[in-house]
Amino acid sequence: IQGTFQDRHANRFGDRTGRGQVQRADGEIFLGKDPVDVEFKGRLAIPARQREPLLSRCDGRIVITIDTQSKCLVVYPLPEWERIEQDIQGLPALNPAVKRFQRLVLGYATDIELDSNGRLLLPQSQREYAQLDKKLVLVGQGNKLEIWSEALWLAEQEQALEDSGPDAVLPDELLSLKL
């Protein structure tokens, strides 16, 4: 047998880099969670394992906005955000719920470029929305990252584990997954 399992299946499953992301033909995806500390005035350093794909995919150019369903921020590589922004703007703006969603997601969206040390400065309005203090958690979500206050992340994680017990009612989309 020639090569490792990883080598033989890289095209099918993506190349696991071992640094928190998986290399796929269409780019890297973000996995795992990392504790992060906020410096003075809202500056934070992206951990190397998450920073590397941001630099390789978009030269450190990202867009950060809010998650309208959770008190966290969402970090998109610029090319991913451009696709999502186009989808959001294509929604029927005469629908009041859609208009509210557009106002929040697009209104909070901020273009940011990582500095030479892989740091970014979070705007005050976003820090307030997500109730961010000194201790944060950066959570990989495939095509994006989430930034959570450590306290809110722990509560979210606890609630998710509680809600997904053996008696949980799961949506059809989850029931169809073959894990």
Side-chain angles (χ1 to χ4, degrees):
I1 297 177
Q2 201 172 24
T4 66
F5 176 84
Q6 181 180 3
D7 294 336
R8 291 189 309 272
H9 296 282
N11 290 337
R12 181 171 175 201
F13 298 110
D15 174 25
R16 165 130 347 246
T17 66
R19 294 184 309 265
Q21 67 275 356
V22 174
Q23 177 69 44
R24 294 198 175 159
D26 60 348
E28 293 169 297
I29 64 170
F30 303 99
L31 302 173
K33 64 182 179 69
D34 294 286
V36 180
D37 292 327
V38 176
E39 298 172 6
F40 183 66
K41 294 187 179 178
R43 186 174 307 281
L44 68 100
I46 301 292
R49 73 186 195 123
Q50 305 292 13
R51 180 175 58 237
E52 290 173 16
L54 287 174
L55 293 172
S56 68
R57 283 181 75 182
C58 58
D59 295 324
R61 293 177 301 159
I62 59 176
V63 174
I64 300 179
T65 191
I66 65 168
D67 183 318
T68 60
Q69 297 181 345
S70 299
K71 287 286 188 179
C72 71
L73 303 179
V74 187
V75 180
Y76 292 99
L78 184 59
E80 183 68 16
W81 171 255
E82 289 171 339
R83 182 192 62 76
I84 290 166
E85 180 183 30
Q86 191 172 39
D87 290 347
I88 291 171
Q89 292 200 16
L91 295 171
L94 294 178
N95 179 323
V98 169
K99 191 66 173 174
R100 284 190 298 273
F101 175 81
Q102 289 171 323
R103 282 184 182 134
L104 289 171
V105 174
L106 298 175
Y108 273 96
T110 305
D111 292 307
I112 296 177
E113 191 165 344
L114 298 180
D115 69 14
S116 60
N117 294 317
R119 296 177 303 181
L120 59 89
L121 182 62
L122 290 171
Q124 180 67 29
S125 62
Q126 291 180 343
R127 293 194 321 260
E128 288 172 1
Y129 173 84
Q131 301 173 17
L132 302 180
D133 51 19
K134 288 198 138 313
K135 300 284 185 191
L136 308 180
V137 178
L138 192 64
V139 182
Q141 293 293 295
N143 66 334
K144 62 186 178 272
L145 294 161
E146 293 178 339
I147 300 174
W148 287 82
S149 122
E150 183 180 62
L152 290 178
W153 170 252
L154 292 173
E156 174 75 14
Q157 180 179 304
E158 185 177 319
Q159 186 66 52
L161 290 170
E162 213 173 274
D163 291 347
S164 61
D167 297 327
V169 177
L170 298 175
D172 291 339
E173 296 87 356
L174 288 178
L175 292 173
S176 67
L177 283 176
K178 292 177 178 33
L179 301 175

